[in-house]
Amino acid sequence: MSKRYRIGQIVPSSNTTMETEIPAMLRLREAIRPERFTFHSSRMRMKKVVKEELAAMDAESDRCALELSDARVDVLGYACLVAIMAMGHGYHRVSQKRLTEQTIANDGAAPVLTSAGALVDALRVIGAKRIVVVAPYMVPLTELVVDYIRNEGYDVIAYRALEIPDNLDVGRHDPSRLPDIVKTLPYQDADAIVLSACVQMPSLPAVAQVEAMTGKPVITAAIATTYAMLRELDLEPIVPGAGALLSGAY
């Protein structure tokens, strides 16, 4: 009988993408590997992607970790990159430690990872130093994200802020627009492309096209989170059609 894993996600209340893209990737994996997955979420209130709402939302993450550990999930993913990065340099380590401790205290010990930490770790995995970044946020929040990534040791040579303030509208952004957006960036000089520095902006359908168009590995926050979850579960991090990171090369 195939082993089943429970995937827990801590998501903003207005997020509509992480509960589609991560299951989509793990369903693709199920077609080539025996393991099976179920998906379980807990929500933190957030509507507008502004610093004040992000900080208030992050304060709810402890409750979410407790709720998901009640379900005895096997791994938890904190699915909001900008909320973590808005809290200051290196905050993903603080958050992951604190939320993991919540699950332990609830007798439902499970590793907690964040999409922010997963993204910066994924760049290390593929050996990227120089990157270009696409983000849906307003310019000040995008600059904050870029600064966070730079503080982790990467050279962000260019970025594009799409300036979408409402989180539901971020989830409605058409991924077919992403290849043309990438064309406006000097990707030729980069080691990798961060196609979506946001777990709410849909990007999975465009990843293969952008990799083919640019000849560069493409990372998204959702792909990086899926990779990190599979590694935490000690499963082979391979998903067909989900870009270089999940190709089996790493």
Side-chain angles (χ1 to χ4, degrees):
M1 189 171 158
S2 309
K3 182 149 187 200
R4 290 187 170 271
Y5 294 89
R6 294 176 186 163
I7 305 295
Q9 293 201 73
I10 299 172
V11 294
S13 55
S14 53
N15 188 297
T16 54
T17 302
M18 270 312 244
E19 291 150 310
T20 57
E21 289 203 342
I22 285 195
M25 283 185 265
L26 292 176
R27 293 286 178 249
L28 287 167
R29 191 186 185 279
E30 286 178 348
I32 60 164
R33 293 292 184 274
E35 296 82 20
R36 296 295 178 259
F37 305 92
T38 61
F39 304 95
H40 314 275
S41 300
S42 180
R43 307 187 100 71
M44 324 171 269
R45 290 296 307 282
M46 189 268 278
K47 292 162 84 174
K48 298 281 183 203
V49 193
V50 294
K51 199 166 182 182
E52 297 73 25
E53 278 205 38
L54 293 171
M57 183 190 80
D58 182 66
E60 294 189 46
S61 60
D62 294 78
R63 169 186 57 78
C64 293
L66 276 174
E67 289 177 3
L68 287 167
S69 65
D70 284 346
R72 300 299 186 255
V73 296
D74 296 296
V75 64
L76 287 82
Y78 185 127
C80 187
L81 178 138
V82 71
I84 292 288
M85 292 190 178
M87 298 292 282
H89 289 166
Y91 182 70
H92 67 276
R93 297 177 184 88
V94 176
S95 172
Q96 288 166 187
K97 182 173 185 289
R98 189 185 77 244
L99 297 179
T100 299
E101 286 168 355
Q102 291 278 9
T103 71
I104 293 167
N106 195 35
D107 295 325
V112 180
L113 53 93
T114 66
S115 53
L119 182 72
V120 296
D121 290 344
L123 293 169
R124 198 164 293 120
V125 168
I126 66 169
K129 291 288 186 198
R130 294 160 58 81
I131 61 170
V132 294
V133 174
V134 180
Y137 319 118
M138 305 305 283
V139 169
L141 272 182
T142 303
E143 289 177 340
L144 188 150
V145 166
V146 166
D147 182 59
Y148 193 102
I149 295 170
R150 284 176 173 151
N151 186 67
E152 291 290 325
Y154 303 100
D155 182 7
V156 181
I157 61 172
Y159 63 88
R160 177 82 181 273
L162 303 185
E163 302 198 76
I164 309 169
D166 185 275
N167 204 40
L168 278 175
D169 289 338
V170 173
R172 295 184 185 110
H173 186 266
D174 183 354
S176 70
R177 294 178 57 204
L178 289 170
D180 283 339
I181 290 167
V182 170
K183 285 176 185 173
T184 69
L185 294 166
Y187 65 81
Q188 299 88 343
D189 300 323
D191 301 320
I193 296 161
V194 177
L195 190 61
S196 179
C198 173
V199 294
Q200 169 71 334
M201 186 169 76
S203 54
L204 190 59
V207 169
Q209 184 184 347
V210 174
E211 286 193 335
M213 177 185 87
T214 62
K216 305 285 183 178
V218 168
I219 301 276
T220 73
I223 285 171
T225 303
T226 302
Y227 178 90
M229 285 177 164
L230 289 169
R231 291 299 302 266
E232 283 288 356
L233 295 171
D234 203 25
L235 296 175
E236 192 180 4
I238 184 164
V239 173
L245 182 67
L246 288 167
S247 67
Y250 306 97

